[in-house]
Amino acid sequence: FENALECFRHALLLDRRHYNAFYGIGMAYLKLGDFRKAEFHFRKAVEINPVNVILICCVGMVLEKLGKKELALRQYMFASKLQPLSMLALFKKAQAYFSLQDYESALKDFEKLEVLAPDEASVHYLLGKLYRFKGRKNDAIKQFTIALNLDPKGSHLIREALESLDDDDEDEEFIGNENI
């Protein structure tokens, strides 16, 4: 990271408006866990290139790391308005809604993503989790199965999610028997 930071700083010496250099420094600090410095550099990049959806989403990612979920969501919403078909902006916005427990908004965005990115296992996995929260078991099973087929490496998480659907059924049966 030190070599990368040195190269990006050298690029800034040559061109103070080199937003890619600010982005690179921001990414290095993000990876190093220095979120304040990462945010500073991503915001500098956004000042230079204010319509770059990736840079705006990077600011949002850092804000999430700093525990500022609502501010991060605003960044993702802005990025989505700038570029409505940006899968990155839509995915980050849907994830933010999910983490803020706004499941209705998250569901709408993940359903859009399912159409835009049908081969993304994480979209199907999170959509399955949302369907589970909404009590739509058959839809959840379908999404988890699609995710499993798309990403066999993530099978342990997906299998756990599928098994939790069975646990939900057992809980319902137990609760049902208690009322008898």
Side-chain angles (χ1 to χ4, degrees), residues 72-82 89 93 97:
L73 176 59
R74 284 193 209 153
Q75 292 292 312
Y76 304 140
M77 291 170 74
F78 178 60
S80 287
K81 282 182 184 173
L82 284 176
K93 183 171 69 136
Y97 279 133

Side-chain angles (χ1 to χ4, degrees), residues 36 39 43 59-60 62-74 100:
R36 298 253 181 245
E39 180 185 8
R43 287 192 185 276
V59 171
V62 171
L63 290 170
E64 278 187 275
K65 297 281 189 189
L66 292 169
K68 300 174 181 179
K69 293 180 182 181
E70 290 85 7
L71 292 175
L73 176 59
R74 284 193 209 153
L100 291 167

Side-chain angles (χ1 to χ4, degrees), residues 16 86 101 106 109 122 132 141 148 169 177:
R16 292 293 309 154
S86 167
Q101 298 179 349
D109 284 345
S122 57
R132 178 178 172 237
I141 291 170
L148 188 59
D169 285 346
N177 289 336

Side-chain angles (χ1 to χ4, degrees), residues 24-41:
I25 293 171
M27 286 303 290
Y29 282 126
L30 181 64
K31 300 271 188 205
L32 291 169
D34 192 338
F35 305 128
R36 298 253 181 245
K37 287 182 182 176
E39 180 185 8
F40 172 82
H41 288 88

